[in-house]
Amino acid sequence: MSDLTQSFTDHEQIPLKDYAERAYLDYSMYVVLDRALPHIGDGLKPVQRRIVYAMSELGLSAASKHKKSARTVGDVLGKFHPHGDSACYEAMVLMAQPFSYRYPLIDGQGNFGSPDDPKSFAAMRYTESRLAPYAKLLLRELGMGTVAFQPNFDGTLKEPVLLPSRVPNVLLNGSTGIAVGMATDIPPHNLREVVSAAIRLLDEPKATVPELCEHVQGPDFPTEAEIITPRADLLKIYETGHGSVKMRAIWEKEDGEIVITALPHQVSPAKILEQIAAQMRSKKLPMVEDLRDESDHENPTRLVIVPRSNRVDTDQVMNHLFATTDLERNYRVNLNIIGINGKPQVLDLRSLLKQWLKFRTDTVTRRLEFRLDQVVDRLHILEGLMIAYLNIDEVIQIIRSEDEPKPVLMERFGITATQAEAILELKLRNLAKLEEMKIRGEQDKLDAEREELEKILGSKARMKTLIKKELTEDAEQYGDARRSRLVERDAAQALKEEDLLTSEPCTVVLSKAGWVRSAKGHDIDASTLNYKAGDEYGHAARGRSNQQAIFLDSVGRAYALPAHTLPSARSLGEPLTSRFNLAEGARFLYALAGAGEQRIVLASSFGYGFVTQLENLHSRMKAGKAMLTVRDGAEPVMPAYVSEQAETVVCATSEGHLLAFPLAELPELAKGKGNKLIQIPPARLKAGEERMVGMVVLGPGEELLVWAGQRYLRMGQKDLEHYQADRAKRGRKLPRGFQRVTMLELASD
């Protein structure tokens, strides 16, 4: 057997699958427990805990002088956290940014970033730092036996497993982290509200989440922007442990201008300006003329939006910006925390506070027990010192005469080794007569303290009272008013494209070959425009640039395009077949334009039709939308617009039959065949000898032009009385010379 083969037989052999699975699980547990998720006790991740502890060990309290951040990072890496210095420094900077942390743990001096760019902080060799006053709540009880210590990475030092936080920091500053297979997103909260809820739970252990939410209104971010999530949704978040919170910027109107004074959490003013400017460049904000950033030290956030005129609806503009920019932002909530059992878990508000109160109760119990042990030990020593003072001459004699005075003192006075050691360590100056009175005074004081400690440790009610008292004091000292206002508002709605465009009059021109273009204004004579060889004017419609241009083909399908996207009338236009898929054998006949609520009458040459609104003809599909049912051999006739005062439908056939009937007799449909307008004998229809050639809808005082080739007959309301009948009748014959009708139209003044 070769040496190589022999070396392999000495090692454990396991399947690659098992090795990979175990290695991945070990890694994932490390990420979950030692990197990404905060602990419920102090609300910190390991790197944050080590930074705060290292700074306290360096003596960088809130009352000390600032010290170079590089010194702190060096201590953290060298003693407790052997990882990258840039990641450690970034975690440290985050805890010092007042716009990132609701209650910053570090007081920074120098460039620690800005809301515009939180990562624009200076290098650690330039900045200085010390602990913020709030950090005292995490560190105050550290040397009081409250938490366990563990060896650091090389076993040369001890570091705390947790910090003995006096408040629920996990909720106050929140946390975000991505682990393996799980993540956490805990928003910050208000100290006074959370403490109030914790006290309520102490008083009423069966309090429900809705009852606790009477105190915890919702998250409280470092910014003053509004939280617009409905109360019912916030309650659901605290009941389930996950959900989302929506924040919206605060704005006001000042001298006709829009002034934004507060942005959502971690939203950069520069990014907001860029988002709005991008819309202005792409002409999606024609109602905005200018944009300014007037932020300074007195007004940290002051973004000014200048409307184009005082007629602009500022509420509508802001509603659009809320929907299309980061002026309104969603924040995911996932209350995933390492619980007091050391396992990650998603907790509701009640469970979270209950676990933290258990942690706090254990911490206070350990603190009191540690202090009780100190008091008892000190009383024990004071008892020995008292014996020595009462027998001072004999004690001095024994010390002077004996080589080993300690066992002699123990035997002579019946004292313990600890007491004897304390007597031997007495300084000569402490042998004064007044010292006896000091000892007796200290004994009385410590006796009273011991009695008080034993009472608290022996009574759950007293323990609760103490915890409540301390929580109230801390909330009073370090708490502040809520910053993020809770306001329920309607969901933001982006403006439609047509609402964002300037509304200018335009004329949509359609040629017989199906080429389209748009001319500015309504006074253009479309028939005089230039057309391609072999092509000519077909139809035109007057509308506005922010409306839809609609086209009706020979098989009754409707197509729509934004009018502003059509080519200019200065060119020959473009074929509609490049925009739409036209059915084989079909051709474009008519153009329509107007507001969506504009009513029209659609009818076929077989004499059937109905009333509908223009918005029913709108379609985004390239194949169009089936609108008017047209039988073989028939085609749509020119649609007729219906004015608000319209009351009479007039229609005519190619053989000169004219019928006028009330508009109310026609049904209003979204699409279909409709009802019969005028009677045409089926045999004549089948033979193609007669068709309906036109229709108009008249209002009071309006007149009609009946065209027969180049000749026309002008008819008023009195003239039409002769042709009045019910819908679907044959009508009456027009006078001789006008019985070959080609078209009907409204007479213009």
Side-chain angles (χ1 to χ4, degrees):
M1 186 181 289
S2 68
D3 292 341
L4 184 62
T5 309
Q6 180 67 40
S7 67
F8 277 113
T9 59
D10 295 340
H11 292 78
E12 178 189 6
Q13 295 185 15
I14 59 173
L16 180 61
K17 171 181 171 293
D18 294 347
Y19 170 77
E21 184 178 329
R22 190 170 68 192
Y24 185 74
L25 281 173
D26 289 347
Y27 167 73
S28 65
M29 288 309 295
Y30 162 74
V31 173
V32 169
L33 299 176
D34 285 333
R35 187 189 299 175
L37 300 190
H39 194 281
I40 195 166
D42 55 14
L44 300 177
K45 300 176 187 179
V47 65
Q48 297 169 327
R49 188 178 300 120
R50 286 163 176 165
I51 290 168
V52 172
Y53 177 65
M55 291 182 78
S56 73
E57 288 294 285
L58 281 169
L60 295 176
S61 69
S64 70
K65 287 181 66 177
H66 291 82
K67 193 170 282 187
K68 285 287 183 186
S69 300
R71 173 69 190 279
T72 299
V73 173
D75 261 37
V76 173
L77 301 187
K79 293 180 178 179
F80 309 114
H81 197 74
H83 295 275
D85 60 336
S86 59
C88 178
Y89 180 51
E90 192 170 322
M92 180 179 169
V93 167
L94 193 70
M95 292 192 287
Q97 291 176 337
F99 49 85
S100 295
Y101 259 48
R102 181 64 178 83
Y103 299 97
L105 293 168
I106 293 172
D107 175 16
Q109 190 168 271
N111 178 10
F112 273 80
S114 67
D116 260 344
D117 186 3
K119 295 198 175 183
S120 62
F121 48 83
M124 57 185 165
R125 62 182 176 274
Y126 299 120
T127 62
E128 297 178 339
S129 55
R130 65 183 179 189
L131 289 170
Y134 173 82
K136 196 174 181 181
L137 292 178
L138 302 178
L139 296 163
R140 187 187 298 175
E141 299 173 357
L142 195 56
M144 301 180 183
T146 48
V147 290
F149 278 72
Q150 63 187 7
N152 69 336
F153 63 89
D154 61 2
T156 58
L157 295 167
K158 296 280 188 182
E159 62 173 319
V161 177
L162 294 170
L163 296 182
S165 176
R166 292 170 60 94
V167 288
N169 184 58
V170 70
L171 275 178
L172 303 181
N173 274 320
S175 185
T176 59
I178 300 173
V180 178
M182 63 178 67
T184 184
D185 289 281
I186 306 168
H189 290 77
N190 185 273
L191 173 55
R192 290 177 179 169
E193 289 182 8
V194 172
V195 164
S196 179
I199 291 173
R200 172 81 178 265
L201 195 58
L202 271 174
D203 289 334
E204 303 171 25
K206 292 186 178 179
T208 61
V209 172
E211 288 172 338
L212 295 176
C213 284
E214 293 172 12
H215 305 272
V216 180
Q217 304 287 312
D220 187 24
F221 293 90
T223 175
E224 293 178 356
E226 298 174 340
I227 294 175
I228 62 167
T229 306
R231 295 299 296 271
D233 292 351
L234 290 174
L235 178 59
K236 194 172 181 183
I237 290 171
Y238 291 120
E239 286 179 331
T240 61
H242 51 76
S244 66
V245 173
K246 200 183 290 285
M247 285 196 88
R248 183 179 285 185
I250 292 178
W251 66 281
E252 56 192 35
K253 205 170 176 182
E254 192 177 291
D255 298 329
E257 298 176 336
I258 298 168
V259 180
I260 299 167
T261 56
L263 296 174
H265 182 47
Q266 292 180 330
V267 169
S268 159
K271 186 179 179 183
I272 292 293
L273 292 173
E274 177 54 38
Q275 288 175 333
I276 299 174
Q279 291 194 38
M280 291 172 68
R281 284 195 298 271
S282 59
K283 297 184 178 177
K284 290 183 178 177
L285 272 179
M287 66 284 287
V288 174
E289 184 176 51
D290 194 16
L291 196 61
R292 298 195 304 272
D293 184 357
E294 296 181 355
S295 305
D296 54 28
H297 287 293
E298 289 183 10
N299 304 289
T301 302
R302 185 178 168 84
L303 307 181
V304 181
I305 300 170
V306 183
R308 195 166 291 278
S309 74
N310 56 11
R311 294 188 303 276
V312 170
D313 185 344
T314 53
D315 288 310
Q316 192 180 48
V317 172
M318 289 305 296
N319 213 28
H320 170 76
L321 292 176
F322 287 140
T324 57
T325 70
D326 282 346
L327 286 173
E328 182 176 303
R329 193 165 171 185
N330 239 22
Y331 298 88
R332 199 164 68 98
V333 177
N334 184 23
L335 305 181
N336 193 4
I337 302 165
I338 299 173
I340 53 176
N341 61 359
K343 296 178 181 177
Q345 51 206 277
V346 177
L347 300 174
D348 59 74
L349 180 62
R350 182 178 182 276
S351 302
L352 192 154
L353 286 176
K354 207 164 186 65
Q355 286 202 30
W356 184 82
L357 285 170
K358 174 73 168 62
F359 166 80
R360 182 62 189 152
T361 304
D362 291 345
T363 303
V364 173
T365 301
R366 293 177 72 168
R367 185 188 85 201
L368 297 180
E369 287 174 345
F370 179 78
R371 178 58 185 162
L372 182 59
D373 290 342
Q374 286 183 322
V375 168
V376 169
D377 289 346
R378 181 61 181 163
L379 283 170
H380 182 61
I381 289 170
L382 289 174
E383 188 182 337
L385 292 178
M386 201 66 211
I387 291 171
Y389 276 106
L390 293 174
N391 302 278
I392 189 66
D393 294 334
E394 191 175 350
V395 168
I396 293 172
Q397 178 62 36
I398 292 170
I399 293 171
R400 289 184 66 188
S401 60
E402 297 292 335
D403 293 335
E404 293 289 336
K406 185 175 179 180
V408 177
L409 288 170
M410 291 170 62
E411 185 179 348
R412 168 66 185 84
F413 298 110
I415 59 178
T416 64
T418 306
Q419 290 172 322
E421 191 66 40
I423 291 169
L424 291 171
E425 288 180 0
L426 270 174
K427 294 179 181 178
L428 288 174
R429 71 174 65 175
N430 292 335
L431 297 178
K433 190 175 182 183
L434 290 174
E435 201 63 33
E436 181 183 340
M437 294 170 65
K438 287 182 182 177
I439 291 172
R440 289 194 186 279
E442 189 177 351
Q443 275 182 322
D444 293 341
K445 185 179 176 183
L446 291 177
D447 273 329
E449 186 179 352
R450 178 177 64 181
E451 187 179 341
E452 183 64 25
L453 289 170
E454 287 172 345
K455 279 181 181 178
I456 295 172
L457 287 168
S459 167
K460 287 185 179 179
R462 287 175 183 267
M463 179 66 76
K464 279 186 182 180
T465 303
L466 176 63
I467 292 171
K468 279 166 28 181
K469 180 186 172 188
E470 290 178 350
L471 281 172
T472 305
E473 288 174 354
D474 292 337
E476 193 62 37
Q477 184 175 355
Y478 297 98
D480 54 8
R482 166 174 280 277
R483 293 186 193 171
S484 303
R485 289 188 302 172
L486 293 159
V487 184
E488 289 192 27
R489 298 200 186 276
D490 294 333
Q493 192 72 41
L495 292 171
K496 295 177 184 175
E497 189 176 8
E498 51 264 33
D499 295 331
L500 291 167
L501 297 167
T502 51
S503 179
E504 296 174 346
C506 67
T507 303
V508 179
V509 182
L510 177 67
S511 76
K512 284 199 172 176
W515 283 60
V516 68
R517 48 189 151 165
S518 175
K520 288 185 178 180
H522 287 166
D523 53 356
I524 185 169
D525 184 357
S527 61
T528 63
L529 295 174
N530 291 328
Y531 293 88
K532 286 172 65 72
D535 196 6
E536 59 181 320
Y537 167 73
H539 193 234
R542 292 172 179 172
R544 303 195 77 81
S545 57
N546 63 341
Q547 294 174 342
Q548 294 280 306
I550 301 163
F551 306 95
L552 195 64
D553 72 6
S554 56
V555 295
R557 296 187 74 84
Y559 308 79
L561 282 174
H564 74 275
T565 64
L566 297 176
S568 168
R570 293 173 186 166
S571 67
L572 294 173
E574 65 174 280
L576 279 174
T577 49
S578 66
R579 304 264 195 129
F580 303 118
N581 299 329
L582 196 63
E584 188 176 349
R587 65 189 191 283
F588 290 104
L589 293 180
Y590 307 110
L592 298 162
E597 59 273 14
Q598 170 67 55
R599 297 164 74 219
I600 60 168
V601 177
L602 289 181
S604 71
S605 58
F606 276 20
Y608 288 84
F610 58 91
V611 180
T612 192
Q613 291 186 345
L614 273 181
E615 63 184 3
N616 292 327
L617 282 74
H618 293 176
S619 171
R620 293 185 178 181
M621 294 182 289
K622 294 190 74 174
K625 176 182 181 181
M627 195 66 209
L628 178 67
T629 303
V630 177
R631 289 168 58 185
D632 290 343
E635 280 188 348
V637 298
M638 188 186 300
Y641 288 89
V642 179
S643 66
E644 289 185 10
Q645 297 81 25
E647 53 188 25
T648 305
V649 179
V650 182
C651 44
T653 71
S654 55
E655 292 299 308
H657 284 271
L658 189 78
L659 174 67
F661 62 88
L663 174 66
E665 293 184 13
L666 265 187
E668 186 158 340
L669 305 174
K671 63 178 181 177
K673 177 182 177 182
N675 290 6
K676 186 179 287 187
L677 277 66
I678 188 168
Q679 175 69 41
I680 304 174
R684 296 186 67 80
L685 280 176
K686 192 171 183 182
E689 295 172 353
E690 189 175 1
R691 295 283 188 272
M692 189 175 90
V693 292
M695 62 177 172
V696 293
V697 186
L698 296 175
E702 291 183 318
E703 294 183 326
L704 166 73
L705 296 182
V706 181
W707 288 88
Q710 298 298 314
R711 302 173 62 196
Y712 68 84
L713 176 66
R714 193 179 190 105
M715 303 178 72
Q717 296 285 351
K718 271 196 172 268
D719 303 317
L720 288 172
E721 288 177 3
H722 178 65
Y723 300 92
Q724 289 278 359
D726 293 335
R727 179 184 59 78
K729 297 297 183 183
R730 182 68 169 145
R732 291 177 181 270
K733 274 272 191 180
L734 286 161
R736 193 177 297 276
F738 292 96
Q739 293 180 357
R740 293 293 174 186
V741 180
T742 54
M743 185 178 68
L744 300 183
E745 69 173 348
L746 279 172
S748 56
D749 294 334

